[in-house]
Amino acid sequence: MAPLLEIATLRAGYGAINILWNVSLTIAEGQTTVIVGPNGAGKTTLLRAIMGLVPVASGDIRLNGASIRNRATWDTVKDGLVMIPEGRMIFPDMTVEDNLMMGAFPPACRRNWKANRQMVFDLFPRLAQRHDQIAGTLSGGEAQMLAIGRGLMEQPRVCLIDEPSLGLAPVMVDEIFRIVEHLKAQGLTIVLVEQNTNRALKVADHVYLMQSGKVVLSERGDAVNLDRLHALYFAHEE
Ligand code: ATP
């Protein structure tokens, strides 16, 4: 059976600058795949390429065996691939509730928006309390909850989450990982990019380490050798 999502010898970048060099990953259904790596390793570029936001030069991206390479982002979202971007990217002048509604645009999600909104509010009671608040006035942690909530309104089959704990206080980091664990327990397929390696490894079924646009380690979550991971993480290019 084909894996749910497969990235095969992918090259992608910005204009003449290539960033990803023959990157291959296999994302199994229902699993949490963690991608770690230092700043600039290309983790965000990889997620953006999957979503059709960065052009793919060569290689392929397959969802259920069918290529989604360079496809319109909108079509990819309708097929259930959802990205929760680094930096949250919420709409600061809109209310919490209206931000959530922005995630309910695909027709299938529009039909279920009420139930989905309730599911998000059950998951994040803080968002329910603040449903009328202008999103630009939320704390960093609340804004991250909103970004995750908006992603869940899109009824994802695969959720690509980019650095959700970045810049958050420890108590908020705990909260975000609690949610990731909850979504994992619900059977959602998750691709999590994190710099907080220690925390991310605890939820990982599979771990990839990226370095300078390449995958330099691919390991089952329970088989990761931390010394090797750290040595590769901090290794400098020759
Ligand atoms: P971080 O953890 O710092 O977010 P990352 O692993 O996600 O890093 P990317 O954001 O994918 O890395 O960046 C990879 C490389 O691509 C970096 O050298 C970055 O400067 C470059 N890059 C990112 N966006 C652009 C862009 N729009 N135009 C040109 N280069 C870019």
Side-chain angles (χ1 to χ4, degrees):
M1 205 174 70
L4 182 56
L5 183 64
E6 196 174 12
I7 291 107
T9 56
L10 195 75
R11 286 189 181 219
Y14 304 95
I17 309 165
N18 196 65
I19 302 292
L20 302 178
W21 299 93
N22 299 328
V23 167
S24 296
L25 296 89
T26 302
I27 313 293
E29 182 150 29
Q31 297 223 320
T32 297
T33 302
V34 165
I35 305 174
V36 295
N39 289 119
K43 306 177 300 293
T44 298
T45 303
L46 172 61
L47 298 191
R48 290 173 58 80
I50 294 170
M51 295 305 296
L53 296 166
V54 168
V56 170
S58 65
D60 207 359
I61 303 165
R62 290 185 285 269
L63 181 64
N64 273 327
S67 180
I68 58 166
R69 174 189 151 150
N70 289 335
R71 211 166 55 144
T73 304
W74 173 243
D75 290 327
T76 300
V77 171
K78 277 195 285 192
D79 273 350
L81 243 78
V82 166
M83 180 170 170
I84 297 168
E86 182 181 352
R88 348 275 194 228
M89 306 275 183
I90 56 173
F91 302 98
D93 299 330
M94 293 168 67
T95 63
V96 165
E97 187 138 11
D98 287 346
N99 265 274
L100 289 178
M101 289 309 293
M102 295 304 283
F105 260 90
C109 310
R110 234 174 288 166
R111 282 193 292 276
N112 300 333
W113 72 268
K114 271 192 180 165
N116 290 338
R117 186 188 58 178
Q118 193 54 50
M119 176 265 298
V120 170
F121 283 163
D122 289 345
L123 212 52
F124 299 112
R126 275 171 99 119
L127 294 184
Q129 288 158 10
R130 295 163 188 274
H131 67 103
D132 253 353
Q133 189 169 326
I134 296 296
T137 64
L138 294 174
S139 73
E142 290 161 355
Q144 184 62 58
M145 291 176 195
L146 181 56
I148 295 173
R150 182 183 54 192
L152 295 177
M153 294 291 287
E154 292 171 72
Q155 301 185 167
R157 291 180 64 203
V158 185
C159 219
L160 314 177
I161 315 180
D162 197 358
E163 309 230 7
S165 74
L166 195 70
L168 299 186
V171 59
M172 278 297 173
V173 175
D174 288 346
E175 174 69 5
I176 296 303
F177 274 95
R178 179 185 71 79
I179 295 302
V180 171
E181 277 171 24
H182 171 86
L183 297 174
K184 177 182 160 88
Q186 304 260 303
L188 185 66
T189 306
I190 298 172
V191 179
L192 176 67
V193 165
E194 258 295 339
Q195 296 224 8
N196 191 336
T197 311
N198 292 340
R199 292 302 294 269
L201 286 182
K202 292 198 174 80
V203 297
D205 294 304
H206 200 96
V207 179
Y208 290 97
L209 170 63
M210 287 184 69
Q211 176 74 271
S212 306
K214 296 177 187 143
V215 170
V216 294
L217 179 132
S218 165
E219 208 96 76
R220 276 174 47 148
D222 57 8
V224 174
N225 177 326
L226 272 181
D227 290 339
R228 184 154 164 260
L229 180 83
H230 286 146
L232 285 168
Y233 196 109
F234 295 111
H236 288 287
E237 283 268 287
E238 295 293 316

Short mmCIF file of all heavy atoms in Angstrom, two decimals, residues 14 17 19 37-46 86 163 195, ligand 1:
data_model
loop_
_atom_site.label_atom_id
_atom_site.label_comp_id
_atom_site.label_asym_id
_atom_site.label_seq_id
_atom_site.Cartn_x
_atom_site.Cartn_y
_atom_site.Cartn_z
N TYR A 14 14.11 28.86 -4.27
CA TYR A 14 13.55 30.18 -4.58
C TYR A 14 14.29 30.75 -5.78
O TYR A 14 15.48 31.04 -5.69
CB TYR A 14 13.70 31.10 -3.36
CG TYR A 14 13.06 30.51 -2.12
CD1 TYR A 14 13.83 29.77 -1.20
CD2 TYR A 14 11.70 30.65 -1.86
CE1 TYR A 14 13.25 29.22 -0.07
CE2 TYR A 14 11.12 30.10 -0.74
CZ TYR A 14 11.89 29.39 0.16
OH TYR A 14 11.32 28.84 1.27
N ILE A 17 17.98 29.98 -6.64
CA ILE A 17 18.62 29.40 -5.44
C ILE A 17 17.94 28.10 -5.06
O ILE A 17 16.76 28.09 -4.70
CB ILE A 17 18.54 30.38 -4.23
CG1 ILE A 17 19.04 31.76 -4.63
CG2 ILE A 17 19.31 29.83 -3.04
CD1 ILE A 17 18.65 32.84 -3.63
N ILE A 19 17.30 25.08 -2.55
CA ILE A 19 17.39 24.89 -1.09
C ILE A 19 17.33 23.41 -0.72
O ILE A 19 18.12 22.93 0.09
CB ILE A 19 16.25 25.65 -0.36
CG1 ILE A 19 16.27 27.15 -0.68
CG2 ILE A 19 16.31 25.40 1.15
CD1 ILE A 19 17.45 27.93 -0.14
N GLY A 37 16.07 20.13 12.90
CA GLY A 37 17.23 20.61 12.17
C GLY A 37 17.48 22.06 12.50
O GLY A 37 16.56 22.77 12.92
N PRO A 38 18.72 22.49 12.33
CA PRO A 38 19.06 23.87 12.71
C PRO A 38 18.40 24.91 11.82
O PRO A 38 17.81 24.59 10.78
CB PRO A 38 20.59 23.90 12.54
CG PRO A 38 20.92 22.75 11.66
CD PRO A 38 19.85 21.73 11.82
N ASN A 39 18.51 26.16 12.20
CA ASN A 39 17.97 27.28 11.41
C ASN A 39 18.51 27.19 9.99
O ASN A 39 19.70 26.95 9.78
CB ASN A 39 18.42 28.63 11.99
CG ASN A 39 17.73 28.92 13.30
OD1 ASN A 39 18.39 29.07 14.32
ND2 ASN A 39 16.44 29.01 13.29
N GLY A 40 17.60 27.40 9.06
CA GLY A 40 18.03 27.46 7.66
C GLY A 40 18.23 26.11 7.01
O GLY A 40 18.68 26.02 5.87
N ALA A 41 17.88 25.02 7.71
CA ALA A 41 18.08 23.67 7.14
C ALA A 41 17.13 23.39 5.99
O ALA A 41 17.36 22.47 5.20
CB ALA A 41 17.91 22.62 8.22
N GLY A 42 16.04 24.15 5.90
CA GLY A 42 15.10 23.96 4.80
C GLY A 42 13.79 23.31 5.22
O GLY A 42 12.98 22.90 4.38
N LYS A 43 13.53 23.27 6.50
CA LYS A 43 12.33 22.59 7.01
C LYS A 43 11.05 23.31 6.54
O LYS A 43 10.12 22.69 6.03
CB LYS A 43 12.36 22.52 8.56
CG LYS A 43 13.65 21.89 9.09
CD LYS A 43 13.72 21.87 10.61
CE LYS A 43 13.68 23.22 11.30
NZ LYS A 43 14.87 24.09 11.05
N THR A 44 11.03 24.63 6.72
CA THR A 44 9.86 25.40 6.28
C THR A 44 9.72 25.33 4.76
O THR A 44 8.61 25.18 4.23
CB THR A 44 9.99 26.87 6.72
OG1 THR A 44 10.05 26.89 8.15
CG2 THR A 44 8.82 27.71 6.25
N THR A 45 10.84 25.40 4.06
CA THR A 45 10.80 25.32 2.60
C THR A 45 10.18 24.00 2.16
O THR A 45 9.38 23.96 1.21
CB THR A 45 12.23 25.48 2.02
OG1 THR A 45 12.77 26.73 2.48
CG2 THR A 45 12.23 25.44 0.51
N LEU A 46 10.51 22.92 2.87
CA LEU A 46 9.93 21.62 2.54
C LEU A 46 8.41 21.64 2.72
O LEU A 46 7.66 21.20 1.83
CB LEU A 46 10.56 20.54 3.44
CG LEU A 46 9.93 19.15 3.36
CD1 LEU A 46 10.03 18.58 1.95
CD2 LEU A 46 10.58 18.21 4.37
N GLU A 86 4.55 28.67 10.56
CA GLU A 86 5.41 29.30 11.56
C GLU A 86 5.01 30.77 11.67
O GLU A 86 4.67 31.41 10.67
CB GLU A 86 6.87 29.20 11.08
CG GLU A 86 7.86 29.77 12.05
CD GLU A 86 9.29 29.66 11.53
OE1 GLU A 86 9.53 29.02 10.49
OE2 GLU A 86 10.17 30.24 12.19
N GLU A 163 6.90 24.70 13.69
CA GLU A 163 7.44 25.34 14.90
C GLU A 163 6.36 25.94 15.82
O GLU A 163 6.41 27.14 16.13
CB GLU A 163 8.44 26.43 14.51
CG GLU A 163 9.49 25.90 13.55
CD GLU A 163 10.90 26.21 13.95
OE1 GLU A 163 11.11 26.72 15.07
OE2 GLU A 163 11.80 25.91 13.16
N GLN A 195 12.13 22.97 16.66
CA GLN A 195 13.51 23.16 17.12
C GLN A 195 13.68 22.62 18.54
O GLN A 195 14.78 22.39 19.00
CB GLN A 195 13.86 24.65 17.10
CG GLN A 195 13.83 25.22 15.72
CD GLN A 195 15.01 26.12 15.43
OE1 GLN A 195 15.96 26.21 16.20
NE2 GLN A 195 14.97 26.78 14.30
P1 ATP B 1 14.15 28.00 10.60
O1 ATP B 1 14.21 26.94 11.62
O2 ATP B 1 15.10 29.13 10.87
O3 ATP B 1 12.77 28.44 10.24
P2 ATP B 1 14.22 26.27 8.27
O4 ATP B 1 14.91 24.97 8.42
O5 ATP B 1 12.73 26.26 8.31
O6 ATP B 1 14.81 27.33 9.28
P3 ATP B 1 13.89 27.62 5.77
O7 ATP B 1 13.07 28.70 6.36
O8 ATP B 1 13.26 26.61 4.90
O9 ATP B 1 14.72 26.87 6.91
O10 ATP B 1 15.08 28.33 4.97
C1 ATP B 1 16.02 27.58 4.20
C2 ATP B 1 16.88 28.53 3.39
O11 ATP B 1 16.03 29.16 2.42
C3 ATP B 1 17.49 29.66 4.21
O12 ATP B 1 18.82 29.83 3.78
C4 ATP B 1 16.63 30.86 3.87
O13 ATP B 1 17.38 32.06 3.93
C5 ATP B 1 16.22 30.55 2.45
N1 ATP B 1 14.94 31.19 2.12
C6 ATP B 1 13.77 31.09 2.80
N2 ATP B 1 12.79 31.80 2.21
C7 ATP B 1 13.35 32.39 1.12
C8 ATP B 1 12.86 33.26 0.09
N3 ATP B 1 11.58 33.65 0.04
N4 ATP B 1 13.74 33.67 -0.86
C9 ATP B 1 15.04 33.24 -0.84
N5 ATP B 1 15.56 32.41 0.09
C10 ATP B 1 14.73 31.99 1.07
#
